[in-house]
Amino acid sequence: MSSSPLILLFLLPLSTSYNFFEFVRQWSPNACFNASQQCKFVPPNINTWTIRGLWPSHKGHNSTAYPAECGNSTQCNFLSEAVAEDVATELHEKWPSNYKGKDTRTWENEYCNHGMCAKNILWNQHLYFAKALSLHSELDIETALTSVDIIPDWYKPYSFGRLEYGIRKVFRVNRASYWCRFVQHEGKTKQVVYQISLCLDKKFRVRDCPVMPRHSCNKRERFYLLPFNMFNTLGNIHEDVHEKGWPYE
């Protein structure tokens, strides 16, 4: 006896319930400056954009409702040693946690909350992290920004028009997605972009992001890209050094 299409739809794994990926990168100085959460010390070898997440996502009105926790904790069964053999050193540098705590805890959270939802394409955690690292090299945010002379500076602001031109110029898409914060610096309120995401189809080709109901950035105002020497000037940075030396846990 054949099953109806409706029954088959409900039998599909949760990992298929997304339309595209958001590949999110973070700029640690903008994320950490005057942040309520305590940031960790950033070593000198980390001085550019790093990975925030690779998130299966919905389009349309559910754009902000990312599929998450697509399996229970037993199904996730995150094993740090499963990513340690050939990618862990690179992950510490390119996918670190900004905040106090172990990087491996961040990776576990990202995989169990998001990676599990993409198991129809990236069917184990090693593939998930290896793909994120590969995309990070292929889709270099810094190249896009420097192509339009956006460089870190405490005092020089930039327009979103310039930023979006750099994204179009390098990645050939008209729409990325941005997260902003408003911070106080020397008595002035400054808008800082702390995350940028590119949207990818299920073959990991860059595509326009859908219009998302996300209003953290005011594109009529300019933004700042704070330099990494910010970490030498703040008191809310946690010196997170372990016995084996940062960044190894």
Side-chain angles (χ1 to χ4, degrees):
M1 185 172 120
S2 62
S3 301
S4 72
L6 184 60
I7 292 174
L8 289 174
L9 177 63
F10 282 107
L11 290 176
L12 283 173
L14 285 170
S15 59
T16 63
S17 62
Y18 62 97
N19 306 106
F20 65 98
F21 289 92
E22 272 202 76
F23 186 44
V24 189
R25 260 73 68 84
Q26 62 186 358
W27 184 256
S28 293
N30 285 4
C32 289
F33 185 76
N34 286 350
S36 57
Q37 244 180 314
Q38 189 179 50
C39 286
K40 67 164 69 172
F41 172 75
V42 174
N45 64 313
I46 297 179
N47 56 14
T48 188
W49 293 85
T50 54
I51 301 169
R52 174 64 179 86
L54 178 60
W55 302 338
S57 304
H58 292 299
K59 64 181 179 181
H61 294 296
N62 293 323
S63 296
T64 57
Y66 308 107
E69 299 179 354
C70 295
N72 59 40
S73 58
T74 303
Q75 289 173 316
C76 181
N77 193 28
F78 179 84
L79 298 173
S80 58
E81 58 267 26
V83 298
E85 291 183 3
D86 62 340
V87 298
T89 299
E90 193 174 3
L91 281 172
H92 278 298
E93 181 177 346
K94 297 179 180 177
W95 198 336
S97 168
N98 277 332
Y99 305 110
K100 180 179 177 181
K102 294 183 177 182
D103 290 345
T104 50
R105 193 174 304 151
T106 293
W107 306 336
E108 180 176 7
N109 179 70
E110 289 296 316
Y111 181 70
C112 293
N113 283 341
H114 301 286
M116 285 282 291
C117 301
K119 287 192 73 173
N120 62 319
I121 296 176
L122 303 170
W123 56 86
N124 63 45
Q125 63 193 47
H126 185 274
L127 282 174
Y128 176 74
F129 291 110
K131 172 54 74 174
L133 289 171
S134 173
L135 290 169
H136 187 58
S137 297
E138 295 169 17
L139 306 173
D140 185 23
I141 292 290
E142 186 167 6
T143 296
L145 270 60
T146 56
S147 75
V148 290
D149 297 322
I150 295 178
I151 58 175
D153 195 296
W154 281 99
Y155 301 102
K156 184 176 181 180
Y158 302 97
S159 70
F160 276 92
R162 179 186 290 242
L163 171 59
E164 291 178 329
Y165 177 66
I167 295 292
R168 287 196 302 272
K169 180 179 178 182
V170 172
F171 302 120
R172 300 291 189 263
V173 292
N174 293 314
R175 192 163 52 243
S177 186
Y178 312 102
W179 284 258
C180 295
R181 300 173 58 235
F182 291 84
V183 302
Q184 292 294 316
H185 177 234
E186 296 182 353
K188 181 179 180 181
T189 300
K190 294 184 176 182
Q191 178 172 220
V192 296
V193 175
Y194 69 94
Q195 289 181 174
I196 295 177
S197 66
L198 296 174
C199 293
L200 315 170
D201 65 21
K202 290 186 178 182
K203 293 185 177 179
F204 300 103
R205 297 172 299 199
V206 184
R207 47 158 282 182
D208 281 342
C209 289
V211 177
M212 299 185 180
R214 189 179 294 143
H215 304 292
S216 63
C217 297
N218 183 350
K219 292 187 176 182
R220 292 173 296 181
E221 294 187 13
R222 293 175 176 262
F223 69 91
Y224 291 81
L225 194 68
L226 304 181
F228 267 80
N229 68 12
M230 180 275 297
F231 287 98
N232 300 326
T233 66
L234 294 184
N236 67 334
I237 305 301
H238 175 77
E239 192 77 18
D240 195 21
V241 179
H242 303 272
E243 287 80 1
K244 295 182 180 179
W246 203 99
Y248 301 100
E249 281 103 13

